[in-house]
Amino acid sequence: YRAAVRTLLRRNIEALNRGETAAIFATYADDVHFRFPGHSSWAADITGREQLERWVRRIVEVGMQFETREIVVDGPPWDTRLALRYTDRHAAPDGTLVYENDGVIFGRTKWGKLTYYEVNEDTEKVTEFDEYLRKDV
């Protein structure tokens, strides 16, 4: 079971990098709770699949790319905990790397549906990325 969850997470990240969101959205519980700390425009504490889908679509629209570093899965199918360590990046249209940040996602699933997850990364870098995006508009 743990191996299957790790494979699913890797596939979902790969799909997200291609701009495909259906696979990841299919794993959300209707009442999923999501947190992204900080004071940037990305900061969020939301409950509900619809709101979370809007947040994730913004990642795709911006063109953020993720590299999975490590995945840890523990617990039974009715109470699975997961941690995903990653690096996210954004390049300017000319290919120049303008953002890179390491982070950890902690989540909980119940019978294959994500019920809670939080994203933790350097919020100062996220705020700087916000400034870059405002200049780019």
Side-chain angles (χ1 to χ4, degrees), residues 40-52:
S40 71
S41 69
W42 299 91
D45 188 348
I46 55 181
T47 300
R49 182 179 171 155
E50 188 176 309
Q51 288 182 9
L52 181 52

Side-chain angles (χ1 to χ4, degrees), residues 84-96:
L84 185 142
R85 198 168 61 87
Y86 66 91
T87 300
D88 57 347
R89 296 179 181 89
H90 178 78
D94 67 1
T96 304

Side-chain angles (χ1 to χ4, degrees), residues 20-135:
E20 301 166 7
T21 56
I24 195 167
F25 292 166
T27 64
Y28 293 164
D30 289 339
D31 61 347
V32 62
H33 181 197
F34 171 76
R35 293 187 65 241
F36 190 105
H39 300 287
S40 71
S41 69
W42 299 91
D45 188 348
I46 55 181
T47 300
R49 182 179 171 155
E50 188 176 309
Q51 288 182 9
L52 181 52
E53 287 179 5
R54 278 195 298 271
W55 192 93
V56 171
R57 281 190 190 98
R58 183 173 176 216
I59 290 172
V60 172
E61 291 167 5
V62 167
M64 192 67 67
Q65 295 292 296
F66 296 86
E67 180 181 349
T68 302
R69 301 284 187 191
E70 184 176 7
I71 299 173
V72 177
V73 179
D74 192 31
W78 56 90
D79 186 21
T80 306
R81 293 165 309 284
L82 57 93
L84 185 142
R85 198 168 61 87
Y86 66 91
T87 300
D88 57 347
R89 296 179 181 89
H90 178 78
D94 67 1
T96 304
L97 184 65
V98 295
Y99 174 79
E100 183 174 70
N101 207 344
D102 295 319
V104 174
I105 295 172
F106 172 80
R108 291 179 97 66
T109 67
K110 184 175 184 176
W111 299 113
K113 293 291 186 180
L114 198 56
T115 59
Y116 173 82
Y117 80 104
E118 62 185 61
V119 176
N120 292 288
E121 55 183 46
D122 185 334
T123 57
E124 288 183 30
K125 287 183 179 181
V126 177
T127 300
E128 290 170 7
F129 183 56
D130 260 350
E131 292 171 15
Y132 164 80
L133 290 175
R134 277 193 294 275
K135 286 187 236 173

